Amino acid sequence: MEPIFETNRVILRLFEPADAKMVQKLAGHEEVARTTLSIPHPYPDGAAEAWIERTRQAAENGEIYSFAMVKKEGKSLIGCVSLRVSKNDNQAELAYWVGRPFWGQGFATEAAQTIVQFGFDELQLNRIFAAAMTKNPASYKVMSKIGMKYEDTFPKHVLKSGIYEDIVFYELVKTENLLS
Ligand SMILES: CC(C)(COP(=O)(O)OP(=O)(O)OC[C@H]1O[C@@H](n2cnc3c(N)ncnc32)[C@H](O)[C@@H]1OP(=O)(O)O)[C@@H](O)C(=O)NCCC(=O)NCCS
């Protein structure tokens, strides 16, 4: 059965083909693409459809769980939260984006908290980590708000749009999981 979660204001479910247009619109916003590594800008036609197909397969294989954040009220898609699992190490990378109109309302925090719990409780992970560009304080604020600990900063660690970006890492190890 497909995993599905409910938070106070949001339902987290796997992406469906019908989400494609909204994914293209929200993820394709320049301010969302700017601080993520895997989101292209401009977002090409057809890319969301292909990504959704891949992501559903990846969830079935237990490799990546990408959940659509859907507002309970109105049922609109507002973002994405995901866990990329490294089965050999029993760990996963947490990542998220929220559509620009929905920033600053606690949605990423709410969704990330729930997915981290899923990672520890159901996937039995030992460690969950997350990375953000140092120029993206909103992202590492979310990490800190859900109890992740600052790990390290790596200067000029990734190349995005021709610029080497400094990256900050946060982590949560099972024994330190303050959420349980
Ligand atoms: C990062 C992102 C997911 C946050 O989503 P969100 O739903 O707005 O996050 P939340 O509202 O749960 O929390 C954001 C926190 O950052 C804070 N914040 C926002 N901008 C900030 C800034 N420039 N400096 C410091 N804190 C900031 C907010 O005040 C909030 O903290 P608070 O609840 O203590 O007030 C969203 O900005 C986004 O999608 N960005 C583009 C994609 C991206 O960068 N994804 C992460 C890749 S690592």
Side-chain angles (χ1 to χ4, degrees):
M1 206 171 98
E2 288 188 3
I4 182 158
F5 305 97
E6 218 175 287
T7 71
N8 277 349
R9 296 171 296 163
V10 169
I11 291 165
L12 302 171
R13 56 149 174 84
L14 295 185
F15 281 88
E16 295 162 359
D19 297 321
K21 285 284 163 280
M22 207 52 173
V23 168
Q24 182 178 16
K25 184 172 174 205
L26 295 177
H29 191 289
E30 195 276 329
E31 286 185 78
V32 173
R34 189 192 298 161
T35 47
T36 50
L37 287 181
S38 54
I39 300 178
H41 185 78
Y43 203 109
D45 287 344
E49 284 81 354
W51 177 76
I52 289 170
E53 202 176 305
R54 280 200 308 278
T55 202
R56 290 186 63 88
Q57 190 59 55
E60 206 165 295
N61 298 342
E63 292 161 353
I64 307 174
Y65 294 90
S66 292
F67 293 97
M69 294 181 206
V70 178
K71 250 178 148 176
K72 279 186 187 169
E73 196 186 315
K75 299 282 181 288
S76 48
L77 177 76
I78 60 165
C80 170
V81 61
S82 66
L83 281 179
R84 176 185 291 269
V85 179
S86 169
K87 287 183 194 172
N88 285 345
D89 310 312
N90 219 14
Q91 61 178 335
E93 178 173 6
L94 168 71
Y96 34 71
W97 59 260
V98 169
R100 185 64 185 92
F102 310 102
W103 284 14
Q105 298 169 52
F107 285 119
T109 304
E110 203 170 305
Q113 198 159 18
T114 302
I115 284 325
V116 162
Q117 206 65 63
F118 162 69
F120 284 120
D121 292 351
E122 292 182 45
L123 302 181
Q124 295 288 302
L125 297 171
N126 180 56
R127 175 177 177 261
I128 294 177
F129 69 97
M133 294 177 192
T134 52
K135 69 177 185 189
N136 189 11
S139 181
Y140 53 84
K141 187 84 188 285
V142 170
M143 298 168 196
S144 156
K145 281 199 295 178
I146 65 169
M148 298 180 89
K149 300 281 186 298
Y150 170 78
E151 202 183 357
D152 214 340
T153 302
F154 294 90
K156 308 213 180 303
H157 197 60
V158 296
L159 184 61
K160 170 82 183 184
S161 305
I163 295 170
Y164 289 102
E165 298 285 352
D166 300 347
I167 296 290
V168 58
F169 280 84
Y170 277 68
E171 69 169 3
L172 201 49
V173 178
K174 192 171 184 117
T175 48
E176 297 171 358
N177 181 6
L178 304 175
L179 304 173
S180 57

